Amino acid sequence: MEKIFRVEGMMCPHCEGRVRDTLNALDCVESCQVSHERDEAIVVPKADCTKEILISAVEGAGYKVISVE
């Protein structure tokens, strides 16, 4: 089941790519789509992936997760 993360701080395609690369580097992420224009990351996690792992990765890359749906 996909999770939608509202991410603050992405200003350009470079930021979008940084968040996408960070999430794709996690073994527990099956796929993700990131948009700086919509301030969101749509993540399809594997069963062993928690939202805390994903939030930590995004915030470790320098962005702030506002909400998870």
Side-chain angles (χ1 to χ4, degrees):
M1 175 184 281
E2 69 182 23
K3 296 186 182 300
I4 301 173
F5 290 77
R6 299 291 170 202
V7 181
E8 184 177 81
M10 294 189 295
M11 303 296 200
C12 65
H14 173 74
C15 297
E16 182 179 297
R18 184 170 176 176
V19 172
R20 182 177 49 252
D21 291 347
T22 296
L23 290 169
N24 280 328
L26 297 173
D27 289 336
C28 67
V29 170
E30 193 166 311
S31 67
C32 71
Q33 297 176 343
V34 181
S35 171
H36 73 281
E37 294 170 339
R38 292 189 311 269
D39 296 326
E40 72 179 13
I42 301 172
V43 181
V44 178
K46 294 180 182 173
D48 62 341
C49 199
T50 66
K51 71 177 183 180
E52 289 78 19
I53 291 171
L54 301 171
I55 290 170
S56 178
V58 171
E59 293 189 345
Y63 304 92
K64 181 159 179 65
V65 175
I66 303 302
S67 67
V68 181
E69 299 172 16

